[in-house]
């Protein structure tokens, strides 16, 4: 529930001015509106348990683009007319393969994520007496995995963590009038850690979607009996299981899901006589709503992880430069998400992390400090006034030591303080039209060779699909 002390409404006075009366009336209306929001959730969220599920997701993205031109240019020099051909061609090809696996039970939570990305850039230029070709292949692979085992349901847990990162890029250029150039870089790090903590985050997005559907059906008198708390939980559990079914045909998926949803509502005795208004509402809130990921709960966790990093670089016609580093990473984190009601949520995240250097070789890691401390915290609110609108804002702080790798100069041992603010809004009008916007601001008191830096970025977008 929202704290009613947050809202101010003036007491009755005997003001003789019309403007004062209008202001008082407006504030009272605003208070009653928000008070109505705070009273909307009439069930105990702590009783809801997300059902067991197992889900595999695989996504493939391919993209290729290019541009080019060719023209003949005339030139006059020393009373002679000459011509030459100039041409240019650029192309970019990329592939992304993302895989994610989630297995959730009350006793154990497994998570695996793998992202593979490849990119190839090519360009060629031909001008007055010269030709050049440039090749830029890049490959990256990220693999994350964890297993969280609860010793006591929703309380004490042990967790194993693993992470692997690999990145490679190469640049090669050939010329007709000078020597060719070629260089490449490899980066690799791997860590395996162990953690322990207490608490649990419960997924509640399906619960809110169910609540929207049932409340809307209730408001239009489509329900045959009074709505109870257990009805919301039972339908929400069914919705979560229904979303785990896989279909290759989106049309058949929609038919099967709406049929199953109608069936469970009738089985529970919530619906008897159906009409076009009932099915229209069911389809609208199931197919066209915007329901972001929302969670409820808190987790306090400590983990410790040895980490090995390796970097190699081969400059043009030179031997390989090899560097490696071994660290011990430790951190403590606290994450809390509280659903204030159907419309509001609050999030708080705190992290304190430290990297202790065990050993390093080579020039790339020559400036690695003995201990690298990082602190961060942010608090934010999410606002969801209806099933298609979401607005979220975050205010945060981060502090860290200044570190610049692979530098021969003297690096100042400064502590950098940064404050940031993010605001993101999204409005789903229809499958054809969506509006989005974001605003990001960041201030840092110092950085390498600069002080009091301020960064701002905004984005406004509208997506309109004609067909």
């Amino acid at each position: 529930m929202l704290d009613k002390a947050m809202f101010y409404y003036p007491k009755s006075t005997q003001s003789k001015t019309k403007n004062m009366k209008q202001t008082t009336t407006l504030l009272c209306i605003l208070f009653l509106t928000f008070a109505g929001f705070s009273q909307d959730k009439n069930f105990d969220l702590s009783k809801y348990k997300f059902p067991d599920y197992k889900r595999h997701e695989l996504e493939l993205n391919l993209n290729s683009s290019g541009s080019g031109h060719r023209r003949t240019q005339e030139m006059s020099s020393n009373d002679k007319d000459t011509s030459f051909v100039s041409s240019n061609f650029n192309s970019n090809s990329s592939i992304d393969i993302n895989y994610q696996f989630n297995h959730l039970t009350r006793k154990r939570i497994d998570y695996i994520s793998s992202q593979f990305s490849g990119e190839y850039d090519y360009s060629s230029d031909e001008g007055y007496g010269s030709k050049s070709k440039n090749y830029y292949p890049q490959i990256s692979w990220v693999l994350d995995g964890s297993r969280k085992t609860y010793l006591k349901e929703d309380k004490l847990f042990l967790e194993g963590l693993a992470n692997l990162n690999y990145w490679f890029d190469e640049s090669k250029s050939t010329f007709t009038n000078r020597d060719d150039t070629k260089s490449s870089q490899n980066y690799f790090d791997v860590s395996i850690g162990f953690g322990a903590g207490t608490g649990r985050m419960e997924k509640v997005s399906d619960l809110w979607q169910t609540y929207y559907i049932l409340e809307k059906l209730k408001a239009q008198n489509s329900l045959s009996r009074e709505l109870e708390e257990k009805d919301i939980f039972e339908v929400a559990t069914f919705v979560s299981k229904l979303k785990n079914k896989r279909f290759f045909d989106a049309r058949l998926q929609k038919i099967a899901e709406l049929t199953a949803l109608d069936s469970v509502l009738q089985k529970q005795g919530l619906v008897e006589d159906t009409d076009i208004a009932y099915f229209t509402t069911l389809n609208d809130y199931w197919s066209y709503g915007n329901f972001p990921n929302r969670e409820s709960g808190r987790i306090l966790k400590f983990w410790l992880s040895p980490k090995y990093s390796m970097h190699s670089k081969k400059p043009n016609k030179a031997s390989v430069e090899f560097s490696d580093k071994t660290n011990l990473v430790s951190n403590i984190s606290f994450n809390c998400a509280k659903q204030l009601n159907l419309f509001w949520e609050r999030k708080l995240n705190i992290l304190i992390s430290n990297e202790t250097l065990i050993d390093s070789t080579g020039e790339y890691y020559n400036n690695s400090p003995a201990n690298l401390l990082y602190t961060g915290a942010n608090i934010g609110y999410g606002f969801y006034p209806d099933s298609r609108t979401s607005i979220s804002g975050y205010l945060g702080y981060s502090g860290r030591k200044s570190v610049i790798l692979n530098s021969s100069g003297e690096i100042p041992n400064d502590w950098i303080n940064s404050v940031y603010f993010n605001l993101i809004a999204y409005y789903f009008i229809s499958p054809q039209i969506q509006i989005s916007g974001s605003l990001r601001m960041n201030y840092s008191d110092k950085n390498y060779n600069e002080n009091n830096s301020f960064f701002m970025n905004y984005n406004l977008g509208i997506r309109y699909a004609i067909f």
Side-chain angles (χ1 to χ4, degrees), residues 367-369 371-372 400-405 411-412 414 416 447:
N367 291 316
S368 299
N371 286 284
L372 179 59
R400 60 182 175 85
K401 292 182 67 175
S402 176
V403 176
I404 299 179
L405 299 177
I411 306 300
D414 290 335
I416 301 173
N447 212 331

Side-chain angles (χ1 to χ4, degrees), residues 253-270:
Q253 177 181 3
K254 185 174 181 179
I255 294 173
E257 289 176 342
L258 290 175
T259 301
L261 194 58
D262 172 62
S263 176
V264 74
L265 292 177
Q266 295 201 40
K267 183 178 179 180
Q268 289 186 225
L270 288 170

Side-chain angles (χ1 to χ4, degrees), residues 201-300:
M201 285 290 185
E202 208 72 60
K203 299 177 182 294
V204 295
S205 298
D206 296 341
L207 176 68
W208 288 139
Q209 184 175 12
T210 300
Y211 189 70
Y212 270 114
I213 293 174
L214 295 178
E215 282 294 308
K216 183 63 176 179
L217 293 176
K218 177 183 177 181
Q220 66 185 34
N221 298 319
S222 293
L223 297 183
S224 58
R225 64 173 176 83
E226 284 298 318
L227 188 63
E228 299 177 5
E229 181 182 272
K230 65 181 182 65
D231 297 323
I232 300 173
F233 291 159
E234 290 176 4
V235 177
T237 299
F238 179 82
V239 165
S240 298
K241 294 179 178 179
L242 183 61
K243 288 184 176 181
N244 284 323
K245 294 186 177 181
R246 288 290 169 259
F247 296 83
F248 288 99
D249 189 316
R251 182 183 59 178
L252 296 178
Q253 177 181 3
K254 185 174 181 179
I255 294 173
E257 289 176 342
L258 290 175
T259 301
L261 194 58
D262 172 62
S263 176
V264 74
L265 292 177
Q266 295 201 40
K267 183 178 179 180
Q268 289 186 225
L270 288 170
V271 176
E272 292 180 357
D273 299 323
T274 59
D275 54 17
I276 190 62
Y278 162 76
F279 283 109
T280 301
T281 298
L282 201 63
N283 179 58
D284 179 55
Y285 279 82
W286 182 260
S287 304
Y288 303 129
N290 170 42
F291 297 97
N293 182 38
R294 298 176 67 175
E295 295 180 319
S296 177
R298 60 189 65 185
I299 294 179
L300 176 65

